[in-house]
Amino acid sequence: MQISEILDRINTAKSKAFRTDKIFFVGVSKNHSVDKIKFAENYIDFFGENRVQEAQNKILNYGPCKVSWRLIGHLQQNKARKAMEIFSSIDSLDSIELANKLNNLAIEFNKIMPVLIEVNTSGEINKSGITPENFYKLLDHVVTLENLKLNGLMTVGPLTDDDTKIHKSFELLRNLTEQARIKTGLELPIISMGMSDDFETAIYEGSTMIRIGTLLFGERDYKK
Ligand SMILES: *Cc1c(COP(=O)(O)O)cnc(C)c1O
């Protein structure tokens, strides 16, 4: 799809929700080559990758880039060091252990690492993210870690055509974010939700960051 069409659809979805605030656009470049994705840097706010190794190769290959790269896929502890080096944000923080690991690395690198907490709002067992039940425990812990900067929450909506379920999932993430703002006093501006098939619903439910792959870059060889 043409980028202009996607931007039109974003604007239409925003006006339906009476929104005029900024919605960040993450171009999800996983499984696509540098040649194929390069044009997008003029239109998007970030690239999103879900594997550390693939991202590292791509970023090296890419050369100077107008936007930074976010990790949106599950992070294994043994890849955490590399991830800290190449990503401007880890959007998939989903355990206390990983939070400790990232914080220790951030102390070592003498930097503050931006993160989002990923929540499994759909209840689908194959999805990553902390459960809503365990979210507050992770939240309470993350805010004590001085070298992590929590900027908000992230979720992947359910794989279904049932619109009600998709709304519920995104509504849950928005509610958790609002509760977390009250509990912590932090701004938590980022509610990262909405992909190619459900970004309009996500915008309706308050998303401030959408992650678009297929619509922007075409089908991937293998879906992830
Ligand atoms: C692949 C992926 C996306 C993009 O999905 P599309 O349906 O291709 O837009 C967004 N978020 C995450 C976490 C992903 O893994």
Side-chain angles (χ1 to χ4, degrees):
M1 181 175 282
Q2 292 291 318
I3 182 84
S4 58
E5 270 179 79
I6 302 173
L7 298 175
D8 279 349
R9 280 177 60 180
I10 293 170
N11 281 327
T12 305
K14 281 178 75 173
S15 40
K16 273 193 189 147
F18 301 102
R19 293 183 55 184
T20 54
D21 55 321
K22 163 128 181 122
I23 296 177
F24 291 96
F25 191 142
V26 179
V28 179
S29 47
K30 66 187 184 195
N31 303 2
H32 290 298
S33 66
V34 167
D35 284 349
K36 211 162 168 195
I37 63 172
K38 212 156 201 170
F39 77 96
E41 69 171 25
N42 293 309
Y43 307 98
I44 63 178
D45 299 294
F46 303 96
F47 281 115
E49 285 281 332
N50 69 337
R51 287 161 191 259
V52 177
Q53 190 58 54
E54 181 186 337
Q56 188 189 16
N57 297 338
K58 202 172 291 181
I59 292 167
L60 271 174
N61 239 313
Y62 198 105
C65 182
K66 289 182 184 162
V67 300
S68 66
W69 302 71
R70 307 179 73 95
L71 180 68
I72 60 170
H74 181 71
L75 178 57
Q76 288 168 335
Q77 292 221 28
N78 60 356
K79 305 268 173 64
R81 175 177 291 272
K82 184 65 45 182
M84 292 278 304
E85 289 171 7
I86 62 178
F87 292 110
S88 63
S89 175
I90 308 290
D91 295 353
S92 49
L93 178 56
D94 62 357
S95 74
I96 287 179
E97 295 70 32
L98 181 60
N100 288 338
K101 176 90 189 181
L102 290 173
N103 188 57
N104 288 336
L105 286 165
I107 291 168
E108 185 187 322
F109 293 177
N110 194 24
K111 71 180 212 179
I112 305 290
M113 190 67 204
V115 297
L116 304 180
I117 293 179
E118 181 179 4
V119 183
N120 179 345
T121 56
S122 65
E124 292 176 352
I125 48 170
N126 57 339
K127 286 247 160 70
S128 50
I130 188 110
T131 61
E133 294 73 35
N134 291 327
F135 165 71
Y136 291 104
K137 218 174 121 196
L138 177 58
L139 173 71
D140 287 344
H141 186 72
V142 169
V143 297
T144 67
L145 302 176
E146 292 190 347
N147 286 57
L148 298 187
K149 180 170 195 309
L150 181 64
N151 284 324
L153 277 62
M154 192 267 252
T155 199
V156 175
L159 193 60
T160 173
D161 293 331
D162 184 342
D163 211 39
T164 312
K165 281 195 182 142
I166 299 171
H167 273 278
K168 280 242 158 70
S169 173
F170 293 154
E171 184 187 22
L172 174 57
L173 195 74
R174 188 189 67 229
N175 286 336
L176 289 174
T177 308
E178 283 166 359
Q179 290 305 313
R181 285 171 185 154
I182 293 167
K183 204 160 192 273
T184 63
L186 295 173
E187 190 184 353
L188 306 181
I190 301 184
I191 306 179
S192 176
M193 56 189 189
M195 314 184 354
S196 290
D197 289 335
D198 56 18
F199 72 92
E200 283 141 323
T201 307
I203 288 172
Y204 182 83
E205 291 294 347
S207 170
T208 65
M209 177 175 280
I210 56 174
R211 310 179 306 267
I212 307 284
T214 309
L215 271 190
L216 185 60
F217 300 121
E219 291 288 337
R220 292 178 288 276
D221 288 343
Y222 51 103
K223 274 239 168 192
K224 182 72 180 87

